[in-house]
């Protein structure tokens, strides 16, 4: 019997084989833990993180509200860095719930996927 984490890691490897972040269109990677949610914009050509946002320091609100805030924050930081287009990487998670909320708020904030 395999656990969910093993399945997610295999799925993540398949997704990463298909998508690649470039300088013109970096990769927006979203990671969800039981307590927090993290978003990073990564240029895979150089291996550098261009922008990041998380809800680690935010203690108020529900997990869904904090996920929406992370989406807004990552969009603001990207626009300051003059990043308009990104490739979305859901990191092996299903595109529902908090992952979808981060993506939706980033789109509303001005990022194009």
């Amino acid at each position: 019997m395999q656990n969910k984490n093993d399945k997610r890691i295999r799925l993540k490897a398949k997704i990463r084989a298909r998508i690649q972040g470039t300088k013109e269109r970096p990769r927006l990677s979203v990671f969800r833990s039981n307590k927090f949610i993290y978003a990073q914009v990564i240029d895979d050509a150089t291996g550098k993180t261009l922008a990041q946002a998380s809800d680690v320091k935010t203690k108020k609100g529900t997990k869904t509200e904090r996920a929406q805030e992370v989406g807004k924050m990552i969009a603001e930081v990207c626009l300051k860095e003059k990043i308009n287009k990104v490739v979305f990487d859901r990191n092996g998670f299903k595109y529902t719930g908090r992952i979808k909320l981060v993506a939706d708020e980033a789109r509303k904030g001005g990022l194009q996927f």
Side-chain angles (χ1 to χ4, degrees), residues 24-73:
E24 298 79 34
R25 193 168 180 156
R27 176 172 54 101
L28 171 59
S29 178
V30 178
F31 178 78
R32 175 183 61 95
S33 71
N34 288 336
K35 289 185 177 184
F36 304 111
I37 193 155
Y38 308 87
Q40 289 184 328
V41 177
I42 305 162
D43 177 6
D44 288 321
T46 60
K48 292 191 178 184
T49 301
L50 306 174
Q52 65 88 26
S54 72
D55 67 340
V56 172
K57 294 182 181 176
T58 306
K59 302 292 184 200
K60 293 183 180 179
T62 63
K63 289 180 185 178
T64 55
E65 291 169 348
R66 294 193 322 236
Q68 289 175 324
E69 280 299 313
V70 169
K72 289 177 189 173
M73 286 190 296

Side-chain angles (χ1 to χ4, degrees), residues 6-24:
D6 292 340
K7 185 177 178 181
R8 186 186 71 80
I9 290 172
R10 278 198 330 272
L11 184 59
K12 177 182 173 180
K14 287 181 183 179
I15 292 169
R16 285 284 290 123
R18 289 180 293 188
I19 63 172
Q20 188 74 17
T22 62
K23 185 159 181 73
E24 298 79 34

Side-chain angles (χ1 to χ4, degrees), residues 59-107:
K59 302 292 184 200
K60 293 183 180 179
T62 63
K63 289 180 185 178
T64 55
E65 291 169 348
R66 294 193 322 236
Q68 289 175 324
E69 280 299 313
V70 169
K72 289 177 189 173
M73 286 190 296
I74 198 70
E76 289 173 6
V77 173
C78 285
L79 293 178
K80 285 180 187 174
E81 296 289 326
K82 295 184 173 71
I83 300 170
N84 297 326
K85 294 184 179 183
V86 294
V87 178
F88 189 73
D89 178 10
R90 58 190 172 95
N91 222 348
F93 295 103
K94 291 182 179 178
Y95 188 75
T96 60
R98 293 188 287 154
I99 302 293
K100 186 175 186 300
L101 286 173
V102 171
D104 290 344
E105 289 298 323
R107 276 192 198 103

